[in-house]
Amino acid sequence: MKKNRDRMFFEELNYKGKTIPQTILGYGPFMAELYFGHRSRLYLDDLYNIPQNISKVIIESYNQGVRAINLVNDDNLLKAYDIAVDEGCEMKVIATIGKTDVDYLNPNYEIAKEADWEEDIELFRQYDCPLMLVDEFITDAYDWTLTSKILNRINDTGAMSGLVSAFPMRTTEMLSQNLDMDLFDFYMIPYNSLSYMMDISAFNASQRKEFIEKVKSLNKKIIATRILAAGVLKPQEAFTFYKNVDFVDAICMGVASVSEARDDFTLLKEY
């Protein structure tokens, strides 16, 4: 994203004949992901178990200008999205392929690799889905044959493909040596000023520069996630940090309530 551009997150990325909105609504709170700590239980009761509540957050996000959503193959999440669509939310779907019920804090990569990713691809072909991403637990299992197979199958659908990683330093270093880099165009990684949920113990200026150079060397379109550090950072802190980030092409950001959607995306428009 260009530095100091007004409303820099509310434009569209046009690439290979497809359009990707630069702000993507994340599914983390909706799925009550365990990395939210004690809030996961609240999200489970207030959001995941009540798809109508998720739909309200999606609708408010849409009303605030968000035109893309990251989805996985989950009945409650898809039901919520369908409700929002019925209310007029026309969003691009950025699909994550191969997500399984794996403990985020202690993942079993062998179980993750057993995901029915073929079913996911067929499902999301039915949506307005310009981009499908391989789930992080498959990417970070480093089974390059499997990853290549999934990417090829995505590409066969006509959608663009990409990878998600929870280990942006380690995985980034391994990609070009183990994978045909022409197979994918997008790379979704956590990135925030605290290096929270990143495989970097500290994040001083030199480390940040090294990390950025490694990511840029891939020559891929970068989607940043966990920009709020799972709620550790205030939105204003995170957005201010991103005003000087020039290697990220889009952000994926979760919100957990109608009021958060209204407040956070209203604030985001100021950057």
Side-chain angles (χ1 to χ4, degrees):
M1 294 181 180
K2 296 177 182 177
K3 295 181 180 180
N4 300 320
R5 184 179 66 195
D6 293 340
R7 293 170 60 84
M8 61 182 174
F9 297 102
F10 285 86
E11 296 187 2
E12 295 180 334
L13 173 66
N14 296 302
Y15 189 68
K16 291 191 173 180
K18 298 186 184 298
T19 300
I20 306 292
Q22 289 186 284
T23 295
I24 303 165
L25 181 63
Y27 63 74
F30 302 155
M31 295 289 289
E33 296 283 16
L34 292 178
Y35 54 73
F36 287 108
H38 70 278
R39 285 173 292 154
S40 296
R41 181 57 194 233
L42 299 175
Y43 296 161
L44 182 68
D45 293 339
D46 297 342
L47 290 170
Y48 181 74
N49 289 333
I50 310 176
Q52 292 84 355
N53 286 353
I54 297 177
S55 71
K56 292 175 183 176
V57 181
I58 296 173
I59 291 168
E60 181 60 31
S61 300
Y62 179 85
N63 290 340
Q64 294 299 327
V66 178
R67 293 295 181 265
I69 184 170
N70 187 202
L71 294 180
V72 297
N73 186 0
D74 178 89
D75 289 344
N76 283 15
L77 181 60
L78 295 176
K79 180 178 179 180
Y81 179 65
D82 288 342
I83 294 171
V85 170
D86 289 342
E87 294 294 323
C89 292
E90 297 180 3
M91 287 178 154
K92 300 284 185 182
V93 171
I94 309 303
T96 296
I97 301 300
K99 181 173 173 58
T100 49
D101 187 18
V102 172
D103 183 352
Y104 195 95
L105 303 178
N106 188 29
N108 185 322
Y109 292 104
E110 293 306 310
I111 292 178
K113 291 193 296 182
E114 296 175 359
D116 193 347
W117 52 268
E118 292 176 296
E119 177 186 335
D120 292 356
I121 291 173
E122 289 305 308
L123 169 71
F124 285 112
R125 289 182 71 173
Q126 304 170 44
Y127 289 75
D128 182 3
C129 183
L131 173 62
M132 299 186 195
L133 305 166
V134 179
D135 183 69
E136 58 204 304
F137 292 130
I138 294 178
T139 300
D140 295 336
Y142 305 135
D143 183 335
W144 305 112
T145 299
L146 174 61
T147 300
S148 298
K149 185 176 181 180
I150 300 172
L151 290 171
N152 272 307
R153 191 68 59 85
I154 292 171
N155 293 335
D156 287 344
T157 71
M160 293 186 293
S161 64
L163 302 175
V164 186
S165 176
F167 300 105
M169 180 63 85
R170 183 172 68 190
T171 299
T172 299
E173 291 176 339
M174 298 176 70
L175 284 176
S176 62
Q177 300 300 316
N178 293 281
L179 199 64
D180 179 353
M181 297 298 285
D182 291 332
L183 284 178
F184 69 102
D185 294 299
F186 283 77
Y187 190 38
M188 179 186 281
I189 54 174
Y191 187 64
N192 56 71
S193 61
L194 302 177
S195 72
Y196 187 79
M197 298 188 72
M198 299 171 63
D199 56 340
I200 301 173
S201 59
F203 214 23
N204 58 38
S206 62
Q207 287 172 314
R208 186 174 296 156
K209 181 180 179 181
E210 178 188 4
F211 173 78
I212 292 172
E213 288 177 350
K214 287 181 184 296
V215 172
K216 291 174 73 171
S217 71
L218 297 178
N219 195 29
K220 300 299 176 184
K221 299 300 180 185
I222 304 301
I223 302 174
T225 187
R226 319 242 161 83
I227 70 167
L228 300 178
V232 177
L233 287 169
K234 298 294 184 184
Q236 187 168 2
E237 295 176 287
F239 301 158
T240 299
F241 172 74
Y242 264 84
K243 283 183 73 73
N244 294 311
V245 172
D246 64 359
F247 72 99
V248 169
D249 298 282
I251 59 170
C252 185
M253 179 179 127
V255 290
S257 67
V258 170
S259 60
E260 276 191 21
R262 180 177 58 250
D263 295 345
D264 291 1
F265 292 125
T266 295
L267 180 63
L268 184 60
K269 292 172 190 173
E270 299 176 10
Y271 288 82

